[in-house]
Amino acid sequence: LDLETTGLSMTPVFLIGTMECTCDGFLFRQYFARDYSEEMSILSAFSERLQDTAMIVTFNGKSFDVPYLKNRAVATGVKLPRPKSHLDLLHEARRHYGRRTPNHKLQTLERIICGKCREDDIPGAEIPAAYHEFVRTGNARKIGRILEHNLHDLLTMADLMRRMWQ
């Protein structure tokens, strides 16, 4: 699970990215709000999918993603089920890699541990402004980069799990 939001605190979530392990491989879903009014719809769609989920995996999700989703669900009146378990890879990476990395940010681990460097990635700090611009103007030129950024975050989480636990 990985979110893209319009900022910190109580601002809308506009993208909920998920990756599921199936017998056929990975299944990616991106719940995208084309404008602010669709936040409740993406939360509802995600909530339906979450009902059948035993475990979620996040990166810093215990501190950010899950509390954020809970707050937005309350704000929009969506009932969000609680999965039986939650694995937060940030805490696992801190334990596993310790001081072998200068910090434990996802993109730092991606670069140092996974040996990958994103090309033409939109910096996370620019994502809220890019989404606001899209809603204001209808110009979607940066939206593809946001969707790709979200997808790379999900793939990196899977790669880190593989590297930590084979």
Side-chain angles (χ1 to χ4, degrees), residues 2-4 59-60 89-90 93 97 101-127 145-157 159-160:
D2 185 55
L3 304 182
E4 304 304 334
F59 193 89
N60 196 31
L89 291 176
L90 172 60
Y97 296 112
T101 58
N103 61 55
H104 296 96
K105 294 178 181 178
L106 185 61
Q107 287 191 15
T108 302
L109 295 169
E110 178 180 81
R111 190 179 70 254
I112 295 171
I113 303 300
C114 304
K116 298 177 186 169
C117 184
R118 296 186 192 190
E119 300 212 8
D120 198 35
D121 186 43
I122 184 167
E126 293 178 18
I127 289 175
R145 291 177 64 205
I146 294 171
L147 294 170
E148 192 173 311
H149 174 93
N150 180 261
L151 179 64
H152 280 291
D153 284 353
L154 294 168
L155 287 168
T156 297
M157 285 191 273
D159 195 6
L160 284 172

Side-chain angles (χ1 to χ4, degrees), residues 1-163:
L1 168 69
D2 185 55
L3 304 182
E4 304 304 334
T5 68
T6 55
L8 299 175
S9 189
M10 285 299 294
T11 61
V13 59
F14 70 88
L15 177 61
I16 304 169
T18 65
M19 179 176 68
E20 299 173 38
C21 297
T22 71
C23 56
D24 296 324
F26 291 125
L27 173 63
F28 296 92
R29 287 190 174 94
Q30 290 178 308
Y31 303 89
F32 178 70
R34 294 169 293 185
D35 61 46
Y36 309 115
S37 71
E38 290 187 348
E39 180 187 28
M40 186 182 346
S41 297
I42 68 168
L43 285 166
S44 294
F46 173 69
S47 174
E48 285 179 31
R49 188 68 198 116
L50 196 56
Q51 289 176 359
D52 299 327
T53 302
M55 173 187 230
I56 61 169
V57 178
T58 62
F59 193 89
N60 196 31
K62 287 186 177 179
S63 297
F64 182 75
D65 299 71
V66 171
Y68 202 101
L69 283 173
K70 286 179 182 177
N71 286 336
R72 295 314 301 157
V74 168
T76 58
V78 172
K79 188 176 189 300
L80 205 58
R82 183 180 171 166
K84 291 181 180 92
S85 58
H86 178 177
L87 174 64
D88 190 329
L89 291 176
L90 172 60
H91 304 289
E92 298 300 320
R94 282 181 179 152
R95 275 192 283 279
H96 194 82
Y97 296 112
R99 295 184 179 177
R100 289 190 283 176
T101 58
N103 61 55
H104 296 96
K105 294 178 181 178
L106 185 61
Q107 287 191 15
T108 302
L109 295 169
E110 178 180 81
R111 190 179 70 254
I112 295 171
I113 303 300
C114 304
K116 298 177 186 169
C117 184
R118 296 186 192 190
E119 300 212 8
D120 198 35
D121 186 43
I122 184 167
E126 293 178 18
I127 289 175
Y131 179 72
H132 291 308
E133 178 185 329
F134 164 71
V135 171
R136 191 175 58 256
T137 67
N139 183 340
R141 69 183 170 85
K142 293 181 184 174
I143 295 302
R145 291 177 64 205
I146 294 171
L147 294 170
E148 192 173 311
H149 174 93
N150 180 261
L151 179 64
H152 280 291
D153 284 353
L154 294 168
L155 287 168
T156 297
M157 285 191 273
D159 195 6
L160 284 172
M161 289 176 68
R162 180 184 66 81
R163 289 171 189 274

